[in-house]
Amino acid sequence: MTCRTVAAALAVACVLIAPPAAAQEAGGVLTPDSIAVLGNRRVPTATVLLVSGLVAGRPLGYREIQRAVQNLYGTAQYADVVIERRVEGPRTLVVIRVREEPVVLRWAVRGVERLGERSVKDKVVLAEGRPYDPALAERSRGRIDSLYRAEGYHQAQVRTLMVWES
């Protein structure tokens, strides 16, 4: 089970732990009056809502919320997704809180001495302009490491260095 699957399950559990009294009567189903999106900068709010599949006024159970979290993680745009329920007086609000992955602006290979820089760059699977994926970065590091070992450089160390621009 991946970290994202565990996070999705926890987010769903947190949302459904204490539904309002009206929702308890309806078998754990919640009907939000409105849906808000917080934390998005790059991805438009309308896109987050569309991908989540959640619609204000439509009854939501744990399966719809779980599907929304999975759909949002499936885009690889988000490092964290949390769906919360807020009750403000007689109104019920569902909040989709996202934390977007940073975008890879550019990447470079440094310190290549024993192998051709082109052969090392060919092992990198990161794409510029796409959200950063830690798994792809680790896969790239492992592929470069394997290339060095295959060429007989068993003591070579490959490491990733990330520089954040603000």
Side-chain angles (χ1 to χ4, degrees), residues 102-114:
V103 173
V104 176
L105 296 177
R106 62 184 172 272
W107 60 267
V109 176
R110 300 274 191 254
V112 178
E113 296 174 8
R114 305 286 187 213

Side-chain angles (χ1 to χ4, degrees), residues 2-58:
T2 67
C3 291
R4 288 184 176 173
T5 305
V6 172
L10 288 174
V12 170
C14 290
V15 169
L16 297 176
I17 286 177
Q24 289 176 350
E25 294 172 4
V29 175
L30 149 73
T31 304
D33 295 308
S34 60
I35 300 174
V37 178
L38 299 176
N40 57 322
R41 292 183 178 163
R42 213 176 51 255
V43 181
T45 298
T47 303
V48 175
L49 290 171
L50 182 67
V51 170
S52 75
L54 301 181
V55 178
R58 185 185 298 168

